[in-house]
Amino acid sequence: MGTQRLLDVAEVDPPPEVAEAFQAVDGIQVLVRRRLMLFDERPVELTDSYYPLHLARGTALAEPRKIRGGAVSLLAELGHRLRMATEDVRARRPTATERALLDLASDEWVLSLTRLLTTDAGVPVEVSMMTMVAEGRRLRYQVAIE
């Protein structure tokens, strides 16, 4: 059975990839929600989701608790209907911190997935950076061709 543990909710300087996605200027901060995903009590994924402060401050996104219905539903309630998800997936060696949190052996690799969610108007509202245990992981995509 799957569940998640909220590790942190904080205002931070965005990593370069997140700053670029949000087209952020130097010195701007974002809100991050850091979570550890578990399957049968075993850690399988780290997920850091970033939001622009002007969008997240004063909402359930900024509270250190689970969000009823999830962040995507909350964003829609706040008037930010999501239209597009862009994902980048790569395999890599984990950092020492990732290795410890995911309880990985020294020779195990991870899958890194970065997801950018944008609105109908093309406005970026969420960047999630996921680090997944590679063993047993399958990624499946379905794309509508218009």
Side-chain angles (χ1 to χ4, degrees), residues 43-64:
V44 293
E45 180 179 309
L46 297 166
T47 301
D48 292 352
S49 296
Y50 297 87
Y51 306 90
L53 276 183
H54 72 274
L55 186 145
R57 247 190 203 145
T59 72
L61 290 169
E63 297 174 12

Side-chain angles (χ1 to χ4, degrees), residues 9 11 27 33 49 53 66 79 87 113 116-117 143:
V9 177
E11 293 182 12
R33 295 179 60 83
S49 296
L53 276 183
K66 289 184 181 179
E87 295 186 345
L113 186 150
L116 170 63
L117 299 178
V143 179

